[in-house]
Amino acid sequence: MANGVVFEDPNMVRQVVVNHFSSVFTENWKSRPKLSSSFLSISLANSKDVLEVEFCEAEIWAAIQDCDVNKDPWLDGFNLSCIQKCWSIMKGEFIKIFQEFHNNGKMAKEWRKTKKKGIIPKLDFEKAYDSVNWEFLLSMMVNFGFGEKWVRWITSYISTSRISVLVNRSPTVEFSPQKGLRQGDPLSPFLFNIVVEGLNLLLEKAKERGLIRGASVGPNELKISHLEFADESIISHFSY
């Protein structure tokens, strides 16, 4: 059912599903606000040597070995178990793919009770990964001093993704999202943390200006203004 209309024809069901998820991943903002302040830069003398060094065969093989071999295969039918077992045959092609990406930046297609009073709201990010704005993510990476080449890689990595939805175990046509991060991808949690750091910085500013106060915890009276757990944030002790 969509907009009060019931669809039963399989082709129409597939189209309605595609329309829905295309809408979910469509970015309606032409330009979102960015943060401009003093950032703790990651720019070190050897940062490029660490982050942008050319991928070696041992590094690629270690990453493939670290993946879950039981993940469902994609449309090509090859899961990680197949790639691991056939590595001696397939490694040449994988190394070429990583070399091309390195050179061109393109992807082949519990709190204890006390008598103190306070307010502790819990914030949930709605559809956390799906709502990530790419422009804001990339601007935060620049703020933190990531290299230009690294940022281009990440831009290519997130912008070349394609989405297909399984309807009755059959994939729909693919479409390109305009926002969001890939669920289950090992890199997505790190990119999401960079985005959420924006909220952390804003909360720190609010604490400096006395808009929120940290709750005192432990014998040393440690002040905690907020805690972050994956896609949830807890803000402690509002001042009003």
Side-chain angles (χ1 to χ4, degrees):
M1 177 179 292
N3 298 324
V5 180
V6 177
F7 297 90
E8 296 183 353
D9 179 80
N11 291 328
M12 290 300 299
V13 171
R14 291 162 62 86
Q15 187 59 51
V16 169
V17 171
V18 170
N19 292 342
H20 169 74
F21 281 95
S22 296
S23 175
V24 169
F25 286 96
T26 296
E27 182 54 74
N28 297 319
W29 285 66
K30 292 184 178 180
S31 179
R32 287 184 179 267
K34 297 182 178 65
L35 297 180
S36 58
S37 183
S38 298
F39 284 80
L40 294 177
S41 175
I42 68 164
S43 295
L44 303 175
N46 62 344
S47 62
K48 288 189 176 181
D49 294 335
V50 174
L51 290 176
E52 299 178 4
V53 68
E54 188 171 356
F55 310 109
C56 65
E57 178 183 337
E59 182 182 11
I60 299 171
W61 173 232
I64 292 177
Q65 285 183 303
D66 195 44
C67 293
D68 185 355
V69 299
N70 295 315
K71 289 290 186 179
D72 291 336
W74 187 226
L75 298 180
D76 59 8
F78 295 103
N79 61 7
L80 269 298
S81 177
C82 174
I83 295 174
Q84 288 183 4
K85 292 179 180 178
C86 301
W87 179 245
S88 61
I89 301 173
M90 304 173 70
K91 66 179 181 180
E93 294 299 321
F94 274 88
I95 292 173
K96 287 181 180 179
I97 292 173
F98 279 90
Q99 287 176 340
E100 181 180 352
F101 177 74
H102 185 273
N103 295 329
N104 304 320
K106 295 182 179 180
M107 298 285 293
K109 273 191 166 177
E110 162 182 327
W111 284 310
R112 295 183 179 178
K113 293 183 178 179
T114 67
K115 294 183 179 180
K116 296 181 179 179
K117 296 181 179 181
I119 299 175
I120 304 179
K122 183 169 74 72
L123 310 178
D124 289 334
F125 296 108
E126 182 182 7
K127 300 184 182 299
Y129 278 15
D130 295 351
S131 62
V132 169
N133 177 268
W134 294 344
E135 184 183 7
F136 182 78
L137 167 61
L138 298 174
S139 71
M140 288 292 288
M141 295 187 71
V142 172
N143 290 337
F144 284 122
F146 285 89
E148 181 180 348
K149 189 170 189 176
W150 179 266
V151 175
R152 287 203 312 269
W153 287 353
I154 298 301
T155 302
S156 177
Y157 165 76
I158 62 178
S159 63
T160 56
S161 61
R162 302 276 292 173
I163 294 177
S164 178
V165 185
L166 290 179
V167 180
N168 296 329
R169 297 186 178 182
S170 178
T172 66
V173 295
E174 293 183 341
F175 61 91
S176 299
Q178 298 176 2
K179 62 179 180 178
L181 299 175
R182 308 179 192 189
Q183 295 284 348
D185 191 289
L187 186 58
S188 293
F190 297 99
L191 297 179
F192 183 74
N193 282 344
I194 294 176
V195 174
V196 177
E197 184 63 17
L199 175 61
N200 177 54
L201 293 171
L202 291 174
L203 290 174
E204 287 293 338
K205 288 290 184 181
K207 182 180 176 181
E208 291 176 6
R209 297 182 179 184
L211 300 176
I212 60 175
R213 292 182 298 164
S216 298
V217 179
N220 296 324
E221 294 291 308
L222 176 65
K223 291 285 188 178
I224 298 179
S225 60
H226 60 283
L227 298 173
E228 295 181 354
F229 306 90
D231 59 351
E232 296 179 344
S233 294
I234 295 177
I235 304 175
S236 62
H237 212 155
F238 263 85
S239 176
Y240 54 91

